[in-house]
Amino acid sequence: MRRRVLLRLRPPARRRLCAALSTAASTTAAAPSAYRLLALLRGCVAPPHLPLGLRIHARAVTSGLLAAADGPEGALQTRLIGMYVLARRFRDAVAVFSSLPRAAAASALPWNWLIRGLTMAGHHRFAVLFYVKMWAHSSAPRPDGHTLPYVVKSCAALGALALGRLVHRTARALGLDRDMYVGSALIKMYADAGLLGGAREVFDGMAERDCVLWNVMMDGYVKGGDVASAVGLFGAMRASRCDPNFATLACFLSVCATEADLLSGLQLHTLAVKYGLEPEVAVANTLVSMYAKCQCLDDAWRLFDLMPRDDLVTWNGMISGCVQNGLVDDALRLFCDMQKSGLQPDSVTLASLLPALTDLNGFKQGKEIHGYIVRNCVHLDVFLVSALVDIYFKCRDVRMAQNVFDATKAIDVVIGGTMISGYVLNGMSEAAMKMFRYLLEVGIKPNAIMVASTLPACASMAAMKLGQELHGYVLKNAYEGRCYVESSLMDMYAKCGRLDLSHYIFSKMSAKDEVTWNSMISSFAQNGEPEEALELFRQMSMEGVKYSNVTISSILSACAGLPAIYYGKEIHGIIIKGPIRADVFAESALIDMYGKCGNLELAFRVFEFMPERNEVSWNSIISAYGAHGLVEDSVSLLCRMQEEGFNADHVTFLALISACAHAGQVQEGLRLFKCMTEEYQIAPRVEHLACMVDLYSRAGKLDKAMQFIADMPFKPDAGIWGALLHACRVHRNVELAEIASQELFKLDPQNSGYYVLMSNINAVAGRWDGVSKMRRLMKDKKVQKIPGYSWVDVNNTSHLFVAADKSHPDSEDIYMSLKSLLLELKHEGYVPRPDICYTMQPDNTTQVQQ
């Protein structure tokens, strides 16, 4: 096996070498020969040696040593090309190459120098151009085993797979396809292009395989996501008695770190010790990373303490491990220790540290790190720019995030995706969509992560058409197989009101993770389909998918929406006996469920036994008491909340004002509203204003409600006008009802409830022309009246029914009991309310049931 040894000289040694070469050049100044100059040129192997190389070149020209085409003179010209290539002076190298005599150009060596140098310097187009020129030149030699590996690398870097295949056929025709260097380059080219079958074909055709060749093929499988094949190949490598090297173990340890596979990582650690590879920096660094990502930070610390502290990658790995395990203080301490040891942090260090500082307490430190980057001119690569943008967005400093983005010269898909995610996080969906369009305009092709980040913006704006366009893009680019993309699509369709499409995507998914199940369950619970949410939870349990506190919170929300207390109690049992410990949000959802199911005692018991509480917990228990009209208890809980150091927010006051509205306590509701706006400086939202309208309306103060609507700082929505319309029905105010209904028909023209309610108001007032008008409006606008239904739970079974329903098997007994109950009610003084019992019949008749 051919090996290339690179001798790295320290600055003093380099100066001594240059001095020696200079002395030798001066001693040959009188009578230079091609041999002597050639010997001197062989010492010019780096850019600092360029001045000496220029002197040798000048001496060769003045001595006429470059006129000959063969012998040492030809070798001198070739070596001059090599000297300029190593010094990154490609124009001079090409100039010397162009002046080569025909006989010297017939050797492969000058061609190889240029092609290799251009490839290593990243000038892949020129490298390929010289390869093509090599074939076109009349006296040029055929490519050899030193030419083709670099040509293949350039083809891979350019993404020119068709040209790479042509080079492969050329190698096969020249008998070089089994050369280990050529084969290694071909395998890497095919693997990087995702053609693992082609890579494996080249690998299997190799007569001899060294460790490097095995590593290239295994690395291709790992990068292609086929870890099983990589593991199988590793077993075959060991069976062939080819010992792994540090690159082999580093590759598989990185896989263990990514998948948090501690058992496999321990086995690889044992192999590293067996083969004496543990001291290798690459192996030690990946071991630290593996233990950190497997949450075995003590083992990572032990390794770190045994390692030399002169490698920046080692420090970066340990800092990243501390951040991933939530040990922010330890990460900051390591950051300081690293600088004290004489090492300066690079972009990787800072990009690893910044994600730990995304809360408000770390915001100041994040700005300090940004200042360090500016002062020390740290290279801003895409990852560091993304980390800076991310921290500013998460700390709600949108302007600074935009400034960092605007100052970035090179924008790629990673930075663009971070900007879109940041805008969505801060509720700026329109800005997110503008950024997406801008990235398309500058020629950046969205990847799967960017599309998944953009879909929530469509969901929040209910822009289903834009979401469908992105869905088409997903299908066109074959992104639909990724869980996070399909989860975003499901969420988008659900929030746009298309639960059917959301569930269709869910049902077609080949692999569903916990996030996918949670998203679908939450979508059903939030869109008024609690039965489907519960059924999905059962399926999730039967398929053995592990649920989390997010799952528990979503399914408890579904139980509260039914309400079905016996299902809620079963979920409570899972929390108590199950493998997971409920967090504060799951317990808050439990309080909300018991409150909505009417069991305040259990809701308060859960609240009292919570090990820790937050604002959500307090809001849940205050809302539970408020929904039952217990205003005094709700206010008393608010005082207790403040005593324990928690601040009331807009949700707290919404629950309190709503409680006052249901209890008819107008003055207390008004006091709380003023307290919110004046004392707590909380700007009222639409929900608060709707509650205030409801507060006045329920108390019969419709004029104040109307005045409150007129004084609003923004346009009232359907919720506000709906509250007023309901109050008009109760208090029989037809004039105000007309005003409210006209606004509602503009804001929500397909809601049949408003037409029915207005028809009822007209019928009670004896305005039958108004009833007919409502019927005509519904017919003209093609509004379908959706029948309302109710249910009752008997012996842990839900019985669903609609008006005049006779489908229940026990309907005769039910109606007999109902008649008996009505007789008793009349005996106690019950008087029927025609405005409540009036219904719109589908056969164009009007009926008032007494």
Side-chain angles (χ1 to χ4, degrees):
M1 186 180 86
R2 289 170 287 184
R3 296 182 183 272
R4 183 176 289 106
V5 179
L6 179 62
L7 182 63
R8 292 187 177 178
L9 299 174
R10 295 183 181 275
R14 190 182 298 132
R15 287 194 295 270
R16 286 196 297 272
L17 174 64
C18 291
L21 292 172
S22 181
T23 304
S26 61
T27 57
T28 59
S33 69
Y35 288 109
R36 288 181 179 179
L37 293 181
L38 188 61
L40 290 172
L41 273 176
R42 289 196 178 103
C44 300
V45 293
H49 303 151
L50 179 63
L52 177 60
L54 290 171
R55 289 172 60 191
I56 294 170
H57 189 182
R59 191 64 177 167
V61 171
T62 56
S63 302
L65 295 176
L66 299 182
D70 51 5
E73 290 79 6
L76 181 63
Q77 291 171 311
T78 300
R79 190 65 210 183
L80 277 170
I81 295 171
M83 183 270 295
Y84 282 123
V85 165
L86 293 171
R88 298 292 189 266
R89 293 282 291 266
F90 292 106
R91 288 183 180 274
D92 294 325
V94 172
V96 175
F97 179 84
S98 301
S99 64
L100 283 176
R102 184 176 295 271
S107 168
L109 192 55
W111 296 90
N112 290 346
W113 267 117
L114 273 171
I115 291 172
R116 171 184 174 273
L118 289 167
T119 300
M120 298 301 289
H123 303 305
H124 302 292
R125 291 184 182 276
F126 290 106
V128 172
L129 184 63
F130 266 94
Y131 172 71
V132 174
K133 188 177 179 181
M134 187 177 186
W135 280 102
H137 200 280
S138 57
S139 60
R142 290 183 175 182
D144 58 16
H146 297 282
T147 315
L148 295 182
Y150 294 103
V151 177
V152 172
K153 287 178 183 177
S154 288
C155 291
L158 293 170
L161 189 60
L163 183 58
R165 289 180 187 274
L166 184 62
V167 176
H168 187 184
R169 286 200 291 272
T170 302
R172 193 181 294 118
L174 296 174
L176 296 172
D177 56 324
R178 296 196 173 190
D179 180 272
M180 277 193 290
Y181 288 96
V182 177
S184 176
L186 285 168
I187 291 168
K188 183 167 176 54
M189 178 190 72
Y190 284 124
D192 288 347
L195 301 173
L196 293 175
R200 187 59 188 262
E201 184 182 344
V202 175
F203 178 80
D204 291 338
M206 300 298 295
E208 182 184 353
R209 303 186 189 112
D210 64 354
C211 186
V212 174
L213 209 62
W214 286 96
N215 288 346
V216 172
M217 189 66 239
M218 287 186 289
D219 186 60
Y221 276 128
V222 168
K223 288 180 178 176
D226 192 354
V227 178
S229 296
V231 172
L233 203 63
F234 182 61
M237 175 187 179
R238 296 201 64 201
S240 69
R241 297 187 177 181
C242 179
D243 292 339
N245 64 3
F246 71 92
T248 318
L249 296 182
C251 173
F252 281 100
L253 281 167
S254 64
V255 174
C256 296
T258 303
E259 299 186 356
D261 186 354
L262 181 60
L263 181 60
S264 299
L266 288 169
Q267 293 172 351
L268 288 168
H269 193 172
T270 306
L271 274 179
V273 174
K274 177 182 177 182
Y275 288 105
L277 296 171
E278 192 183 26
E280 289 282 349
V281 175
V283 176
N285 288 338
T286 47
L287 278 170
V288 169
S289 176
M290 184 272 297
Y291 282 122
K293 289 184 178 178
C294 291
Q295 297 182 347
C296 296
L297 208 61
D298 289 341
D299 295 314
W301 274 114
R302 289 191 196 98
L303 272 174
F304 180 73
D305 290 338
L306 294 172
M307 293 169 67
R309 303 294 178 86
D310 56 354
D311 183 31
L312 191 59
V313 179
T314 306
W315 287 94
N316 289 347
M318 200 62 225
I319 290 171
S320 177
C322 289
V323 171
Q324 289 161 5
N325 285 271
L327 303 175
V328 181
D329 292 338
D330 288 337
L332 290 169
R333 181 175 56 79
L334 278 170
F335 180 72
C336 297
D337 291 346
M338 181 182 75
Q339 294 179 80
K340 289 175 184 176
S341 70
L343 287 174
Q344 294 302 313
D346 62 359
S347 60
V348 178
T349 318
L350 300 170
S352 300
L353 188 61
L354 280 169
L357 308 174
T358 52
D359 59 358
L360 292 176
N361 295 326
F363 183 46
K364 183 180 177 182
Q365 292 168 320
K367 293 183 80 171
E368 288 174 358
I369 290 176
H370 192 183
Y372 176 90
I373 292 168
V374 174
R375 288 194 308 273
N376 293 275
C377 300
V378 178
H379 173 61
L380 281 166
D381 59 16
V382 293
F383 301 105
L384 185 52
V385 171
S386 296
L388 280 171
V389 169
D390 185 60
I391 189 175
Y392 282 123
F393 269 127
K394 287 181 177 175
C395 293
R396 310 300 180 187
D397 194 340
V398 176
R399 186 181 59 82
M400 275 303 298
Q402 290 171 333
N403 289 344
V404 173
F405 176 79
D406 293 338
T408 305
K409 295 179 181 178
I411 302 168
D412 72 341
V413 70
V414 177
I415 299 172
T418 307
M419 286 296 294
I420 291 170
S421 299
Y423 281 130
V424 171
L425 179 67
N426 285 271
M428 303 169 67
S429 299
E430 290 185 9
M433 293 306 302
K434 285 181 182 177
M435 176 58 64
F436 183 77
R437 293 189 187 98
Y438 169 75
L439 294 171
L440 290 176
E441 288 170 4
V442 298
I444 294 175
K445 182 183 177 182
N447 60 6
I449 297 172
M450 184 188 288
V451 173
S453 302
T454 310
L455 282 166
C458 301
S460 65
M461 295 190 300
M464 195 171 76
K465 185 178 179 182
L466 289 173
Q468 286 176 321
E469 290 175 4
L470 285 174
H471 192 177
Y473 183 85
V474 166
L475 296 174
K476 182 180 177 182
N477 291 275
Y479 292 157
E480 70 274 12
R482 295 167 171 83
C483 250
Y484 56 89
V485 174
E486 291 180 311
S487 295
S488 296
L489 281 168
M490 285 164 44
D491 185 61
M492 183 272 296
Y493 280 120
K495 287 181 177 174
C496 290
R498 291 299 303 270
L499 271 176
D500 54 335
L501 291 177
S502 180
H503 190 253
Y504 176 79
I505 294 170
F506 175 80
S507 62
K508 294 295 180 182
M509 289 177 68
S510 55
K512 305 180 184 80
D513 60 4
E514 177 199 320
V515 176
T516 311
W517 284 94
N518 289 346
S519 177
M520 195 68 246
I521 290 170
S522 177
S523 295
F524 276 129
Q526 291 170 2
N527 284 274
E529 300 288 351
E531 299 94 339
E532 284 76 5
L534 286 164
E535 181 59 34
L536 213 58
F537 180 69
R538 292 189 193 98
Q539 289 180 25
M540 182 181 180
S541 300
M542 287 189 290
E543 291 189 19
V545 181
K546 292 182 179 179
Y547 43 79
S548 65
N549 280 304
V550 177
T551 323
I552 296 297
S553 299
S554 299
I555 202 63
L556 283 170
S557 175
C559 295
L562 274 170
I565 195 168
Y566 50 94
Y567 287 136
K569 285 183 176 180
E570 288 178 4
I571 305 300
H572 194 174
I574 290 172
I575 293 174
I576 295 169
K577 299 178 182 178
I580 61 169
R581 181 183 176 276
D583 62 6
V584 66
F585 297 102
E587 289 178 324
S588 299
L590 197 59
I591 294 167
D592 183 61
M593 184 274 298
Y594 279 128
K596 287 180 178 175
C597 290
N599 197 325
L600 275 178
E601 182 184 351
L602 282 177
F604 191 70
R605 190 180 300 173
V606 171
F607 176 77
E608 284 296 307
F609 281 98
M610 286 180 73
E612 60 175 325
R613 304 185 186 107
N614 63 3
E615 286 81 359
V616 177
S617 318
W618 284 100
N619 288 342
S620 296
I621 192 66
I622 289 170
S623 298
Y625 275 90
H628 288 76
L630 303 174
V631 180
E632 291 182 5
D633 292 324
S634 297
V635 174
S636 137
L637 282 166
L638 172 65
C639 297
R640 184 178 160 191
M641 174 185 182
Q642 293 169 327
E643 287 170 3
E644 294 192 16
F646 294 96
N647 292 322
D649 58 12
H650 66 280
V651 178
T652 318
F653 283 101
L654 182 64
L656 290 166
I657 297 169
S658 177
C660 293
H662 285 87
Q665 297 189 20
V666 179
Q667 292 304 316
E668 182 65 15
L670 188 58
R671 185 189 71 80
L672 288 166
F673 184 79
K674 287 183 177 178
C675 177
M676 178 186 77
T677 54
E678 296 173 6
E679 185 178 337
Y680 283 85
Q681 298 293 310
I682 298 173
R685 304 188 181 188
V686 177
E687 297 87 354
H688 300 102
L689 300 177
C691 269
M692 288 302 295
V693 172
D694 192 41
L695 177 74
Y696 285 124
S697 300
R698 285 175 183 267
K701 299 182 178 182
L702 298 181
D703 53 341
K704 287 193 175 181
M706 196 64 194
Q707 186 60 44
F708 192 84
I709 292 172
D711 294 339
M712 279 184 187
F714 40 77
K715 191 175 179 180
D717 67 352
I720 292 171
W721 288 114
L724 184 63
L725 184 63
H726 279 278
C728 291
R729 177 186 66 85
V730 174
H731 299 287
R732 303 188 182 186
N733 191 322
V734 182
E735 290 74 16
L736 270 182
E738 285 284 354
I739 297 171
S741 64
Q742 290 304 315
E743 295 293 333
L744 286 166
F745 296 157
K746 293 175 188 175
L747 293 168
D748 194 1
Q750 293 301 309
N751 190 329
S752 62
Y754 299 135
Y755 296 91
V756 173
L757 191 56
M758 191 61 208
S759 185
N760 286 344
I761 293 169
N762 283 322
V764 171
R767 298 175 58 180
W768 303 109
D769 56 335
V771 174
S772 301
K773 182 183 177 183
M774 290 301 105
R775 194 182 310 283
R776 283 195 305 273
L777 271 174
M778 290 184 72
K779 187 176 181 180
D780 293 343
K781 294 183 179 181
K782 297 180 180 179
V783 178
Q784 296 292 325
K785 183 179 182 299
I786 302 170
Y789 63 88
S790 301
W791 62 90
V792 62
D793 294 334
V794 180
N795 295 328
N796 291 346
T797 304
S798 295
H799 300 271
L800 192 74
F801 57 91
V802 296
D805 193 349
K806 295 183 179 180
S807 61
H808 196 277
D810 298 324
S811 59
E812 290 185 9
D813 295 336
I814 291 170
Y815 280 108
M816 285 292 292
S817 300
L818 184 60
K819 279 185 179 181
S820 174
L821 186 60
L822 284 171
L823 288 171
E824 290 185 27
L825 284 168
K826 286 181 179 180
H827 185 265
E828 293 293 330
Y830 165 72
V831 178
R833 291 280 304 276
D835 57 321
I836 295 175
C837 299
Y838 167 75
T839 59
M840 295 180 70
Q841 299 299 325
D843 57 352
N844 294 333
T845 61
T846 305
Q847 178 180 351
V848 179
Q849 299 173 355
Q850 295 289 340

